[in-house]
Amino acid sequence: MNKDQILQKLTALCARGEHCQHEMLEKMSRWEVDEATQAEVMAYLTANRYVDDERYARAYANDKIRYNHWGRRKVEQGLWQKHIDKDIQQRVLAEVDDELYVSILRPLLRQKRRTTRANNSYELNQKLLKFALSRGFTYDIIRQCIDVDEDSFDEE
């Protein structure tokens, strides 16, 4: 493939959805494009804002939190795997309010509480804690949700 064909394919791909620099470089590597051409293509894509890692990180974090019900740690790990700069990760994740995490985690824990078998409340809370940690939520948010849910669960 020549440079124009590569640009045409990648701009069409970027027009359909958000992609990061790492994904574009990986794709060009699979196509066995030489590094000089990769650098030129990436310069064009970033200059014309087809690829913007910060915009990608915002969209990624938003989608994973709202639709996949992931917590901060799991989103952070996903962004790290996409080779998003640490500064961008921190800025994007700082924009997400803790209340959003709480509003997502609370229904997840309620649903999990109904389907989890345990001999006592301590064992149940440990299972819920482990579940929430596996979804990437931080301990302080988990504790906050488990404590509130435990109180409302006792009242029912």
Side-chain angles (χ1 to χ4, degrees):
M1 273 193 288
N2 66 26
K3 181 181 162 189
D4 291 334
Q5 289 172 320
I6 294 167
L7 271 172
Q8 186 179 13
K9 280 189 170 195
L10 293 180
T11 54
L13 181 68
C14 290
R16 287 192 301 266
E18 288 295 336
H19 296 280
C20 64
Q21 289 183 19
H22 179 69
E23 290 174 343
M24 297 295 105
L25 290 171
E26 263 186 353
K27 193 165 282 297
M28 286 189 281
S29 291
R30 276 187 262 130
W31 294 341
E32 298 175 0
V33 176
D34 64 280
E35 288 188 26
T37 306
Q38 283 185 23
E40 289 177 39
V41 169
M42 284 310 301
Y44 176 83
L45 291 175
T46 54
N48 291 300
R49 296 191 37 92
Y50 283 102
V51 174
D52 183 350
D53 279 352
E54 189 162 345
R55 187 178 65 213
Y56 172 81
R58 274 196 184 83
Y60 182 89
N62 183 48
D63 288 353
K64 295 302 180 184
I65 292 168
R66 291 183 194 278
Y67 303 117
N68 293 30
H69 305 295
W70 285 7
R72 177 186 172 89
R73 292 291 303 140
K74 197 161 183 176
V75 171
E76 198 174 290
Q77 192 173 37
L79 290 172
W80 176 82
Q81 287 177 327
K82 298 288 187 178
H83 298 269
I84 303 297
D85 188 28
K86 194 77 168 159
D87 294 337
I88 294 173
Q89 287 181 35
Q90 289 173 349
R91 269 198 310 267
V92 167
L93 291 172
E95 292 172 3
V96 180
D97 188 31
D98 283 350
E99 287 303 311
L100 178 60
Y101 291 123
V102 169
S103 69
I104 288 171
L105 180 59
R106 207 167 264 147
L108 279 176
L109 288 176
R110 282 191 185 116
Q111 183 179 358
K112 186 70 173 173
R113 184 183 297 272
R114 283 188 219 114
T115 61
T116 303
R117 296 190 187 274
N119 295 328
N120 54 45
S121 64
Y122 176 78
E123 186 179 329
L124 177 64
N125 283 343
Q126 291 306 307
K127 288 181 178 184
L128 293 174
L129 176 68
K130 186 176 178 182
F131 167 75
L133 285 171
S134 74
R135 298 296 290 240
F137 290 94
T138 56
Y139 185 77
D140 57 328
I141 289 175
I142 297 168
R143 201 67 246 168
Q144 181 182 347
C145 291
I146 286 178
D147 289 345
V148 169
D149 282 350
E150 194 173 66
D151 293 340
S152 64
F153 187 72
D154 291 339
E155 291 171 4
E156 291 176 358

